[in-house]
Amino acid sequence: MSLSPQQAGDADQVSSIAPESGEGESWVARNQTILIAAGLIVLLLIISGIRQPGFLSYGNLRQQLVLAAFLGTIAAGQTVVILTGGIDLSVAWNLNFAAILFTQSIDGSGNPGRILLGTVLALLAATAVGTVNGLGVAYLRIPSLVMTLGVNTVMLGVALVYTNGSPQGLAPSFARELATGRIGGQLPWALIFWAVLSLLVIVMLKRSTFGRRIYAIGNNPRATYLSGIQVR
C-alpha cells in the first residue's frame, strides 16, 4: 500500500518525535527551561524575604513545601495529559468528589475493611471520570478543554447533590499523617511522597516505551499513528 505525499511526510517525522537526546548541547542549553523556572523561584523568594523577613524562616519554607507537594502531586498527572497535547480541567472536582467518597465511607475508622472500601470507591469514581473524559476527547473529538471543563461542572453538581451541600466524614489516621505528619518532627511525609512520585514520573517519561509514546503523540499524532502506535 502506497502512502500519499502528506502521509509519507508525516511518517518521516517518526524518528524525531521522541525526546531529543541533547547530544552536542551544553548542560545549560539542555536544561534552560528548568533553570529559568528555578531562577524565577529564587527571585520570588528573595523579594518575599525582603518585604516580609519572616517569610524565609525554616518553618514557613517547610510549610510552603508541604502546600507545594499537594499541587505537585496533581501536576504530575496533569503533566502527562499536557504532553499528549491535551489538558484536564476536571481535576478540581474530580479530586474533591473522590475525597468526599473516601472520607465519608471511612469516617475516621481504623477498620481495614472500611479503609479498603473507601479507597476503592474513591479510585473507581476518579477512574470513571477520567474514562468519560478520554472517550469524549478520543472518540467524540470534543476538544479536551471543553470536555474536561464541562465534566468539572458536572462533578461539582454531583458533589453538591451527594453531600446536600454539607460534606461530612473524616479521613483515617494514616491519610492525615501522610498529609501533615513529619519524620522526626522535621521532614514532611507529603514532601517525600511528592519527591518519589516525581522521580517515578520522570523515569517513566524518559526511560520507558510508554513515556516516549506520550511525547510522540503530543508532537505529531498522525505520524505516531502511521508508525503503528495507537493514539487513542
Side-chain angles (χ1 to χ4, degrees):
M1 182 183 68
S2 61
L3 298 176
S4 67
Q6 182 180 4
Q7 290 175 326
D10 286 334
D12 289 339
Q13 298 182 36
V14 172
S15 60
S16 64
I17 55 182
E20 296 293 337
S21 63
E23 293 182 2
E25 294 182 341
S26 67
W27 182 86
V28 173
R30 292 197 304 271
N31 298 278
Q32 182 178 11
T33 303
I34 296 176
L35 292 175
I36 291 175
L40 290 175
I41 292 174
V42 172
L43 180 61
L44 286 174
L45 288 174
I46 293 174
I47 295 174
S48 300
I50 293 174
R51 293 180 58 87
Q52 187 69 36
F55 184 84
L56 294 179
S57 66
Y58 172 72
N60 185 66
L61 290 179
R62 182 178 60 192
Q63 181 62 29
Q64 295 302 315
L65 284 174
V66 171
L67 295 176
F70 301 142
L71 295 176
T73 299
I74 299 172
Q78 189 74 268
T79 297
V80 177
V81 177
I82 292 175
L83 286 175
T84 63
I87 192 168
D88 186 357
L89 299 181
S90 68
V91 169
W93 278 101
N94 187 8
L95 176 64
N96 279 327
F97 185 65
I100 289 170
L101 287 177
F102 181 71
T103 54
Q104 288 197 354
S105 300
I106 299 173
D107 199 20
S109 172
N111 185 288
R114 292 190 63 176
I115 293 176
L116 178 61
L117 175 63
T119 302
V120 170
L121 286 176
L123 291 177
L124 285 177
T127 301
V129 173
T131 301
V132 171
N133 284 333
L135 291 174
V137 173
Y139 292 96
L140 299 181
R141 302 296 184 182
I142 302 174
S144 59
L145 188 149
V146 175
M147 181 69 193
T148 58
L149 182 60
V151 169
N152 185 66
T153 304
V154 171
M155 293 308 300
L156 167 59
V158 170
L160 286 174
V161 171
Y162 180 78
T163 63
N164 198 26
S166 179
Q168 304 294 326
L170 180 66
S173 58
F174 83 89
R176 298 196 300 271
E177 178 68 17
L178 179 61
T180 61
R182 302 170 188 167
I183 298 177
Q186 298 296 325
L187 187 60
W189 278 110
L191 189 58
I192 295 176
F193 180 85
W194 179 29
V196 172
L197 178 63
S198 299
L199 180 61
L200 291 175
V201 171
I202 291 172
V203 171
M204 181 270 290
L205 290 175
K206 297 294 187 180
R207 301 297 181 183
S208 71
T209 302
F210 177 72
R212 291 184 176 275
R213 287 179 177 179
I214 288 175
Y215 277 105
I217 292 171
N219 187 288
N220 192 323
R222 180 176 294 181
T224 305
Y225 174 75
L226 293 175
S227 71
I229 298 174
Q230 288 291 334
V231 298
R232 293 184 179 180

